Structures are given as structure tokens and as C-alpha cells.
Short mmCIF file of all heavy atoms in Angstrom, two decimals:
data_model
loop_
_atom_site.label_atom_id
_atom_site.label_comp_id
_atom_site.label_asym_id
_atom_site.label_seq_id
_atom_site.Cartn_x
_atom_site.Cartn_y
_atom_site.Cartn_z
N LYS A 12 68.83 63.26 -26.40
CA LYS A 12 67.40 63.44 -26.10
C LYS A 12 66.55 63.02 -27.31
O LYS A 12 66.92 63.28 -28.45
CB LYS A 12 67.12 64.91 -25.75
CG LYS A 12 67.93 65.40 -24.54
CD LYS A 12 67.65 66.87 -24.26
CE LYS A 12 68.62 67.42 -23.21
NZ LYS A 12 68.46 66.76 -21.91
N PRO A 13 65.41 62.39 -27.06
CA PRO A 13 64.51 62.04 -28.17
C PRO A 13 63.98 63.30 -28.83
O PRO A 13 63.88 64.36 -28.19
CB PRO A 13 63.40 61.24 -27.49
CG PRO A 13 63.41 61.70 -26.07
CD PRO A 13 64.84 62.00 -25.75
N VAL A 14 63.64 63.19 -30.12
CA VAL A 14 63.22 64.38 -30.87
C VAL A 14 61.93 64.10 -31.64
O VAL A 14 61.70 63.00 -32.13
CB VAL A 14 64.35 64.86 -31.81
CG1 VAL A 14 64.66 63.80 -32.86
CG2 VAL A 14 64.01 66.18 -32.47
N LEU A 15 61.10 65.13 -31.73
CA LEU A 15 59.90 65.12 -32.56
C LEU A 15 59.99 66.31 -33.50
O LEU A 15 60.30 67.42 -33.06
CB LEU A 15 58.65 65.25 -31.68
CG LEU A 15 57.32 65.50 -32.42
CD1 LEU A 15 56.91 64.28 -33.23
CD2 LEU A 15 56.21 65.87 -31.42
N TYR A 16 59.75 66.07 -34.79
CA TYR A 16 59.81 67.15 -35.77
C TYR A 16 58.39 67.66 -36.07
O TYR A 16 57.48 66.87 -36.32
CB TYR A 16 60.47 66.68 -37.06
CG TYR A 16 61.93 66.32 -36.87
CD1 TYR A 16 62.34 64.99 -36.83
CD2 TYR A 16 62.88 67.31 -36.68
CE1 TYR A 16 63.67 64.66 -36.63
CE2 TYR A 16 64.22 66.98 -36.48
CZ TYR A 16 64.60 65.66 -36.44
OH TYR A 16 65.91 65.33 -36.23
N VAL A 17 58.23 68.97 -36.03
CA VAL A 17 56.96 69.61 -36.36
C VAL A 17 57.16 70.40 -37.64
O VAL A 17 57.93 71.39 -37.67
CB VAL A 17 56.46 70.53 -35.24
CG1 VAL A 17 55.20 71.27 -35.68
CG2 VAL A 17 56.19 69.73 -33.97
N ALA A 18 56.52 69.96 -38.71
CA ALA A 18 56.61 70.66 -39.99
C ALA A 18 55.57 71.76 -40.02
O ALA A 18 54.36 71.50 -40.04
CB ALA A 18 56.38 69.67 -41.14
N ASN A 19 56.03 72.99 -39.99
CA ASN A 19 55.13 74.14 -40.03
C ASN A 19 54.80 74.45 -41.49
O ASN A 19 55.64 74.92 -42.25
CB ASN A 19 55.79 75.35 -39.37
CG ASN A 19 54.84 76.52 -39.18
OD1 ASN A 19 53.63 76.39 -39.41
ND2 ASN A 19 55.36 77.65 -38.76
N VAL A 20 53.56 74.13 -41.88
CA VAL A 20 53.16 74.16 -43.29
C VAL A 20 52.27 75.36 -43.59
O VAL A 20 51.78 76.04 -42.69
CB VAL A 20 52.42 72.86 -43.69
CG1 VAL A 20 53.33 71.65 -43.49
CG2 VAL A 20 51.13 72.70 -42.89
N ASP A 21 52.06 75.60 -44.86
CA ASP A 21 51.15 76.64 -45.32
C ASP A 21 49.71 76.22 -45.04
O ASP A 21 49.39 75.02 -45.02
CB ASP A 21 51.35 76.89 -46.82
CG ASP A 21 50.57 78.08 -47.34
OD1 ASP A 21 51.06 79.21 -47.21
OD2 ASP A 21 49.45 77.87 -47.85
N GLU A 22 48.82 77.18 -44.86
CA GLU A 22 47.42 76.85 -44.55
C GLU A 22 46.71 76.15 -45.71
O GLU A 22 45.63 75.58 -45.53
CB GLU A 22 46.65 78.09 -44.14
CG GLU A 22 46.63 79.22 -45.14
CD GLU A 22 45.98 80.47 -44.56
OE1 GLU A 22 44.75 80.46 -44.34
OE2 GLU A 22 46.71 81.44 -44.31
N ASN A 23 47.31 76.18 -46.89
CA ASN A 23 46.74 75.45 -48.03
C ASN A 23 47.33 74.05 -48.18
O ASN A 23 47.06 73.35 -49.16
CB ASN A 23 46.98 76.23 -49.32
CG ASN A 23 46.25 77.57 -49.33
OD1 ASN A 23 45.10 77.64 -48.92
ND2 ASN A 23 46.92 78.62 -49.80
N ASP A 24 48.13 73.64 -47.21
CA ASP A 24 48.79 72.33 -47.28
C ASP A 24 48.74 71.64 -45.90
O ASP A 24 49.75 71.19 -45.38
CB ASP A 24 50.24 72.48 -47.75
CG ASP A 24 50.94 71.14 -47.95
OD1 ASP A 24 50.27 70.18 -48.42
OD2 ASP A 24 52.14 71.03 -47.62
N LEU A 25 47.55 71.57 -45.31
CA LEU A 25 47.41 71.05 -43.95
C LEU A 25 47.78 69.57 -43.84
O LEU A 25 48.15 69.10 -42.76
CB LEU A 25 45.97 71.27 -43.44
CG LEU A 25 45.52 72.74 -43.36
CD1 LEU A 25 44.11 72.83 -42.79
CD2 LEU A 25 46.49 73.56 -42.53
N GLU A 26 47.67 68.84 -44.94
CA GLU A 26 48.02 67.41 -44.92
C GLU A 26 49.51 67.18 -45.15
O GLU A 26 49.98 66.05 -45.07
CB GLU A 26 47.19 66.65 -45.95
CG GLU A 26 45.69 66.63 -45.63
CD GLU A 26 44.91 65.82 -46.64
OE1 GLU A 26 45.54 65.27 -47.58
OE2 GLU A 26 43.68 65.70 -46.49
N GLY A 27 50.24 68.24 -45.47
CA GLY A 27 51.67 68.12 -45.65
C GLY A 27 52.07 67.39 -46.92
O GLY A 27 52.90 66.49 -46.90
N ASN A 28 51.48 67.80 -48.04
CA ASN A 28 51.80 67.16 -49.32
C ASN A 28 52.95 67.84 -50.06
O ASN A 28 53.39 67.36 -51.10
CB ASN A 28 50.55 67.15 -50.22
CG ASN A 28 49.45 66.27 -49.65
OD1 ASN A 28 49.72 65.19 -49.15
ND2 ASN A 28 48.20 66.75 -49.70
N ASP A 29 53.41 68.96 -49.54
CA ASP A 29 54.51 69.69 -50.18
C ASP A 29 55.78 68.85 -50.17
O ASP A 29 56.05 68.12 -49.20
CB ASP A 29 54.74 71.01 -49.42
CG ASP A 29 55.67 71.95 -50.17
OD1 ASP A 29 56.89 71.69 -50.18
OD2 ASP A 29 55.18 72.95 -50.72
N PRO A 30 56.59 68.92 -51.23
CA PRO A 30 57.87 68.18 -51.27
C PRO A 30 58.78 68.50 -50.09
O PRO A 30 59.57 67.65 -49.68
CB PRO A 30 58.49 68.65 -52.59
CG PRO A 30 57.33 69.02 -53.45
CD PRO A 30 56.32 69.61 -52.52
N LEU A 31 58.69 69.71 -49.55
CA LEU A 31 59.50 70.07 -48.39
C LEU A 31 59.17 69.18 -47.19
O LEU A 31 60.05 68.75 -46.44
CB LEU A 31 59.29 71.54 -48.02
CG LEU A 31 59.78 72.59 -49.01
CD1 LEU A 31 59.38 73.99 -48.55
CD2 LEU A 31 61.30 72.51 -49.20
N VAL A 32 57.88 68.89 -47.02
CA VAL A 32 57.44 68.03 -45.91
C VAL A 32 57.89 66.59 -46.15
O VAL A 32 58.28 65.89 -45.21
CB VAL A 32 55.91 68.09 -45.74
CG1 VAL A 32 55.47 67.22 -44.56
CG2 VAL A 32 55.45 69.53 -45.52
N ALA A 33 57.85 66.16 -47.40
CA ALA A 33 58.29 64.80 -47.73
C ALA A 33 59.74 64.59 -47.33
O ALA A 33 60.12 63.52 -46.85
CB ALA A 33 58.10 64.54 -49.23
N LYS A 34 60.56 65.63 -47.50
CA LYS A 34 61.97 65.53 -47.10
C LYS A 34 62.10 65.36 -45.59
O LYS A 34 62.93 64.59 -45.10
CB LYS A 34 62.73 66.78 -47.55
CG LYS A 34 62.90 66.91 -49.06
CD LYS A 34 63.67 68.18 -49.41
CE LYS A 34 63.86 68.32 -50.91
NZ LYS A 34 64.61 69.56 -51.25
N VAL A 35 61.27 66.09 -44.84
CA VAL A 35 61.32 65.99 -43.38
C VAL A 35 60.87 64.60 -42.93
O VAL A 35 61.49 64.00 -42.06
CB VAL A 35 60.42 67.07 -42.74
CG1 VAL A 35 60.38 66.91 -41.22
CG2 VAL A 35 60.93 68.47 -43.09
N ARG A 36 59.80 64.09 -43.55
CA ARG A 36 59.32 62.75 -43.19
C ARG A 36 60.38 61.69 -43.45
O ARG A 36 60.59 60.79 -42.64
CB ARG A 36 58.05 62.42 -43.99
CG ARG A 36 56.81 63.17 -43.54
CD ARG A 36 55.56 62.49 -44.08
NE ARG A 36 54.34 63.16 -43.65
CZ ARG A 36 53.62 63.96 -44.42
NH1 ARG A 36 54.01 64.21 -45.67
NH2 ARG A 36 52.52 64.54 -43.97
N SER A 37 61.05 61.81 -44.60
CA SER A 37 62.08 60.83 -44.94
C SER A 37 63.23 60.89 -43.95
O SER A 37 63.72 59.84 -43.49
CB SER A 37 62.59 61.11 -46.36
OG SER A 37 63.61 60.21 -46.72
N TYR A 38 63.64 62.09 -43.59
CA TYR A 38 64.74 62.26 -42.63
C TYR A 38 64.35 61.69 -41.27
O TYR A 38 65.13 60.97 -40.63
CB TYR A 38 65.08 63.74 -42.51
CG TYR A 38 66.23 64.04 -41.57
CD1 TYR A 38 67.52 64.19 -42.05
CD2 TYR A 38 66.02 64.17 -40.19
CE1 TYR A 38 68.59 64.47 -41.20
CE2 TYR A 38 67.08 64.43 -39.33
CZ TYR A 38 68.35 64.59 -39.84
OH TYR A 38 69.39 64.84 -38.98
N ALA A 39 63.14 62.02 -40.83
CA ALA A 39 62.68 61.57 -39.52
C ALA A 39 62.54 60.06 -39.46
O ALA A 39 62.89 59.43 -38.45
CB ALA A 39 61.34 62.23 -39.19
#
């Protein structure tokens, strides 16, 4: 099945600049 990843971020990081999000983007 196709997959979409939703990174649930902190309210102070709405643009997803945290290194944790960068890892998800790279994987996806």
C-alpha cells in the first residue's frame, strides 16, 4: 500500500526544521 508520513512536530516548529523531521524527510 502507498504511504504518507505525517511528522507530528512541536508547536514551536511548525515548518519542521527540527533534525528529527529532516530524518523523516530523507527516509521518505
Side-chain angles (χ1 to χ4, degrees):
K12 301 178 189 296
V14 63
L15 170 68
Y16 295 105
V17 175
N19 189 8
V20 300
D21 187 84
E22 58 187 290
N23 296 317
D24 185 37
L25 299 183
E26 294 182 0
N28 294 319
D29 191 285
L31 293 175
V32 181
K34 291 181 180 180
V35 176
R36 287 197 179 103
S37 178
Y38 182 96

